[in-house]
Amino acid sequence: MIVVDDQAVVRAGFAAIVDAEPDLTVVAEAGDGATAVSLAAAGEADVVLMDIRMPGMDGLTATRLVTAPADGPRVLVLTTFDLDEYVYEALRAGASGFLLKDAEPEQLLSAIRVVAAGDGILAPAVTRRLIDTFARSAPPPPPAGGPLGRLTQREREVLLKIASGLTNAEIGAELGVTTGTVKSHVNALLSKLGLRDRVQATILAYETGLITPGGVPQG
């Protein structure tokens, strides 16, 4: 993975935590967004641990450029700033996860592994802020001919459960199907909607009005 932060001491600390794990390796470090984009283009990293506020190119712009290629590395944003605009913009830029820098090392390592495996992750506090953002914007019900029209009824049900924050196991228990079946539905709906992971699926569910803050489905 690549560690990106404008403070050398912070980069070294994160790198030490990651390199201490037998299944994780830091292949490069960067102190600004432009360097991060250049390093990511080399194709040696699966995950980029990205700071937001940096001199020159910031982390949001860098995230957008790093994730633009279909085969680009995934980005886990790690920052001291948990303001709504940073959360939303980072996720819209293509980040697969968002954690605050006060997260415990175990939480950080777990998040890196989740993102590397192709899934997305949000800190609980970040999820609450994201939902609050959509609560204020009050999106309209989804149009009948929108992107969600490509989904089967069961895939829509699974999308609703994802947006409610449930794991595959929890979704399976609620729908009375196996975890493997849920995983197949998740993969199918992500493919149909052209999404990278569950984080983007959650954003789409709220943006289209499929679900409202509080978990109430629309239409």
Side-chain angles (χ1 to χ4, degrees):
M1 71 175 300
I2 299 171
V3 177
V4 186
D5 195 288
D6 62 334
Q7 299 182 47
V9 173
V10 174
R11 291 200 307 273
F14 288 143
I17 292 173
V18 172
D19 278 335
E21 299 298 301
D23 60 327
L24 300 174
T25 303
V26 174
V27 298
E29 299 180 23
D32 60 79
T35 303
V37 173
S38 177
L39 291 172
E44 297 181 6
D46 297 320
V47 177
V48 178
L49 189 62
M50 183 80 74
D51 189 20
I52 285 184
R53 287 192 175 182
M54 295 180 290
M57 182 186 293
D58 63 31
L60 295 179
T61 302
T63 294
R64 192 172 293 110
L65 294 174
V66 167
T67 60
D71 58 348
R74 303 170 69 81
V75 174
L76 174 60
V77 172
L78 190 64
T79 180
T80 55
F81 303 98
D82 60 348
L83 302 178
D84 292 341
E85 58 266 31
Y86 290 124
V87 175
Y88 187 62
E89 288 305 316
L91 298 176
R92 285 303 304 261
S96 293
F98 195 113
L99 285 179
L100 303 184
K101 286 184 179 178
D102 61 1
E104 296 295 325
E106 293 76 13
Q107 293 176 302
L108 170 61
L109 294 170
S110 175
I112 292 172
R113 292 185 175 102
V114 167
V115 170
D119 213 335
I121 188 168
L122 291 176
V126 173
T127 302
R128 287 193 296 272
R129 285 178 176 272
L130 183 62
I131 291 174
D132 287 344
T133 298
F134 286 108
R136 292 193 298 271
S137 63
L148 299 184
R150 306 168 193 159
L151 304 182
T152 65
Q153 182 58 39
R154 177 61 86 181
E155 289 165 353
R156 287 172 67 96
E157 292 174 349
V158 172
L159 178 56
L160 283 171
K161 301 298 183 183
I162 290 174
S164 298
L166 301 186
T167 64
N168 285 352
E170 291 168 338
I171 294 173
E174 289 204 2
L175 298 182
V177 298
T178 66
T179 300
T181 297
V182 173
K183 187 176 297 185
S184 295
H185 287 312
V186 172
N187 290 337
L189 70 88
L190 291 179
S191 176
K192 288 182 179 180
L193 298 175
L195 305 175
R196 289 171 66 104
D197 50 45
R198 301 166 76 95
V199 170
Q200 290 192 341
T202 297
I203 291 176
L204 180 67
Y206 279 100
E207 284 186 331
T208 59
L210 178 65
I211 188 171
T212 62
V216 181
Q218 299 295 296

